[in-house]
């Protein structure tokens, strides 16, 4: 979806990296996160201050190969090294489908995937809190009364094109990624805002030992892109503003999808929510990056298979710890793909 915006931006976001630059593993040998490019850190903090979605003052910044690596680094950092058994990692269903395989990939003796946080009790788990939630777009808080420092807030969708910015998040660990802000998934770059110094050190150690840092080239490209995003909002005459563009796209798509779902009578979607956005200074609806579509026809037990039969590919609800009558539909495809999606959904009877 974002490709059209960046094509229009053209050479304004081009980056030329001489062959001699960035050859070392080290970006800042004396820094806590020694592979973090200072230019990238500066632009990340600037963008958060502009949008007001997350506190940056008093926080350490750890860069990683997307939020995927950083979530593993955070789980590692929060896991007790002297426990008799692995600590359980949980998230309320429906939860992001990659949480379970990511958690168990390394077969760690420190932690393991334990499932739906709603089925747990006590304070002995690490909870992944995704808000707005993937797959259903819900705004969430931690559901467990875990000890302080045992929750990881995955805020990769907490940006104004997806949801009203209702306040400045100030959790212990907050994860973000380029792919969900600007669409640059292939840059493979994310960051964590971490309150506790020792946790930040352990997360840095995890990234260091698993990949010996993060691509410096990717950070330089991302810094240039984020600079353009922020500059546009500092210049009253600049009409090429990323969040405005993306919010218009999402509004049009959600309007089209809701109209189609209502006309078929076959499906349902979560109710639309809205709130006052401190960034846009107005009341705006939420436009989640994914649609949590439910088949209401009694004879259909598997919505994914129904849609597949009509040429629509979606992930089944059971992958998210949910109901097979539900599917996750991607709202961020190119215009042509999204138009075909709406057309095919409208033909299902």
């Amino acid at each position: 979806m974002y490709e059209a915006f960046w094509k229009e931006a053209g050479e304004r976001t081009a980056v030329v990296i001489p062959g001699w630059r960035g050859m070392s593993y080290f970006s800042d040998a004396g820094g806590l996160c020694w592979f973090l490019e200072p230019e990238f850190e500066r632009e990340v903090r600037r963008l958060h201050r502009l949008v007001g979605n997350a506190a940056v003052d008093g926080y350490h910044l750890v860069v990683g190969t997307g939020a995927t690596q950083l979530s593993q680094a955070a789980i590692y950092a929060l896991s007790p090294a002297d426990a008799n058994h692995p600590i359980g990692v949980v998230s309320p269903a429906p939860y992001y489908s990659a949480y379970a395989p990511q958690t168990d990939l390394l077969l760690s003796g420190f932690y393991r995937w334990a499932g739906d946080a709603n089925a747990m009790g006590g304070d002995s788990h690490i909870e992944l809190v995704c808000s707005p939630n993937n797959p259903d777009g819900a705004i969430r808080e931690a559901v467990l009364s875990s000890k302080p420092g045992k929750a990881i807030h995955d805020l990769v969708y907490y940006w104004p094109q997806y949801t009203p910015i209702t306040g400045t998040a100030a959790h212990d660990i907050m994860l973000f990624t380029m792919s969900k802000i600007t669409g640059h998934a292939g840059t493979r770059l994310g960051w964590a805002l971490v309150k506790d110094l020792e946790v930040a050190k352990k997360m840095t150690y995890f990234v260091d030992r698993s990949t010996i840092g993060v691509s410096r080239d990717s950070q330089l490209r991302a810094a240039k892109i984020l600079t353009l995003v922020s500059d546009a909002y500092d210049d009253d005459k600049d009409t090429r503003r990323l969040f405005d563009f993306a919010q218009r796209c999402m509004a049009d798509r959600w309007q089209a999808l809701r109209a189609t779902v209502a006309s078929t009578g076959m499906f349902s979607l979560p109710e639309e929510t809205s709130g006052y956005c401190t960034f846009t200074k107005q009341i705006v609806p939420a436009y989640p990056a994914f649609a949590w579509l439910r088949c209401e026809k009694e004879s259909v037990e598997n919505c994914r298979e129904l849609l597949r039969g009509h040429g629509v590919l979606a992930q089944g609800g059971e992958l998210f710890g949910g109901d097979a009558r539900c599917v996750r539909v991607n709202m961020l495809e190119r215009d042509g793909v999204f138009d075909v999606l709406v057309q095919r959904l409208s033909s299902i009877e």
Side-chain angles (χ1 to χ4, degrees), residues 8-29:
E8 184 178 340
E11 295 303 309
R12 297 173 66 200
T13 55
V15 177
V16 177
I17 303 175
W20 53 263
R21 184 174 181 182
M23 295 175 66
S24 170
Y25 290 120
F26 295 90
S27 299
D28 180 9

Side-chain angles (χ1 to χ4, degrees), residues 229-242:
V229 174
S230 295
D231 282 353
Y233 287 93
D234 288 338
D235 182 354
D236 293 336
K237 297 180 181 179
D238 196 333
T239 59
R240 289 174 291 192
R241 296 180 168 181
L242 177 73

Side-chain angles (χ1 to χ4, degrees), residues 60-78:
H60 308 283
L61 199 151
V62 180
V63 67
T65 306
T68 299
Q69 184 183 39
L70 289 166
S71 66
Q72 288 187 321
I75 292 169
Y76 168 80
L78 296 181

Side-chain angles (χ1 to χ4, degrees), residues 29-318:
L32 182 150
C33 186
W34 51 265
F35 42 85
L36 171 62
E37 287 288 321
E39 183 179 348
F40 176 66
E41 178 179 15
R42 181 176 66 250
E43 292 304 323
V44 165
R45 292 182 184 274
R46 178 189 178 199
L47 184 63
H48 280 301
R49 291 189 178 105
L50 170 71
V51 175
N53 62 339
V56 292
D57 295 333
Y59 278 79
H60 308 283
L61 199 151
V62 180
V63 67
T65 306
T68 299
Q69 184 183 39
L70 289 166
S71 66
Q72 288 187 321
I75 292 169
Y76 168 80
L78 296 181
S79 299
D82 56 353
N84 295 325
H85 53 80
I87 189 171
V89 179
V90 298
S91 188
Y95 43 72
Y96 178 36
S97 59
Y99 281 160
Q102 285 173 8
T103 301
D104 287 341
L105 177 64
L106 300 180
L107 302 177
S108 173
F110 296 135
Y111 53 84
R112 61 174 174 77
W113 178 251
D116 185 0
N118 292 311
M120 305 296 170
D123 59 1
S124 58
H125 299 87
I126 295 173
E127 183 177 354
L128 293 166
V129 184
C130 188
S131 184
N133 188 45
N134 178 356
D136 62 358
I139 300 300
R140 287 181 161 180
E141 298 290 344
V143 302
L144 297 182
S145 57
S146 296
K147 296 176 182 178
K150 287 297 184 183
I152 301 166
H153 283 76
D154 184 344
L155 304 183
V156 298
Y157 298 102
Y158 191 44
W159 295 95
Q161 65 268 51
Y162 304 123
T163 188
I165 303 303
T166 57
T168 303
H171 305 291
D172 292 333
I173 302 174
M174 299 180 286
L175 307 182
F176 298 92
T177 184
M178 283 293 293
S179 62
K180 307 309 184 293
I181 306 169
T182 66
H184 289 86
T187 303
R188 302 307 308 128
L189 202 62
W191 62 90
L193 296 171
V194 186
K195 187 176 293 185
D196 184 86
L197 175 61
E198 294 306 313
V199 172
K201 287 180 177 179
K202 290 180 180 178
M203 291 180 65
T204 299
Y205 176 79
F206 182 95
V207 178
D208 172 12
R209 291 299 84 197
S210 57
T211 53
I212 317 181
V214 176
S215 168
R216 298 180 63 187
D217 291 3
S218 288
Q219 293 182 68
L220 293 175
R221 183 187 188 208
K224 180 72 172 181
I225 290 165
L226 294 183
T227 298
L228 183 141
V229 174
S230 295
D231 282 353
Y233 287 93
D234 288 338
D235 182 354
D236 293 336
K237 297 180 181 179
D238 196 333
T239 59
R240 289 174 291 192
R241 296 180 168 181
L242 177 73
F243 297 125
D244 297 29
F245 163 85
Q247 189 179 59
R248 287 194 300 269
C249 289
M250 297 302 291
D252 290 344
R253 291 181 177 201
W254 271 100
Q255 181 179 10
L257 181 65
R258 288 192 181 279
T260 298
V261 167
S263 68
T264 65
M266 281 277 296
F267 306 100
S268 65
L269 291 164
E271 291 186 11
E272 182 178 273
T273 61
S274 61
Y276 181 77
C277 179
T278 58
F279 176 69
T280 62
K281 302 296 191 295
Q282 58 185 343
I283 296 176
V284 294
Y287 303 119
F290 299 101
W292 191 236
L293 187 70
R294 179 180 175 84
C295 183
E296 299 293 351
K297 192 172 183 179
E298 292 186 4
S299 60
V300 177
E301 296 183 356
N302 190 306
C303 188
R304 182 180 66 88
E305 291 303 320
L306 170 69
L307 294 181
R308 180 184 289 271
H310 290 81
V312 176
L313 299 180
Q315 288 188 297
E318 64 275 16

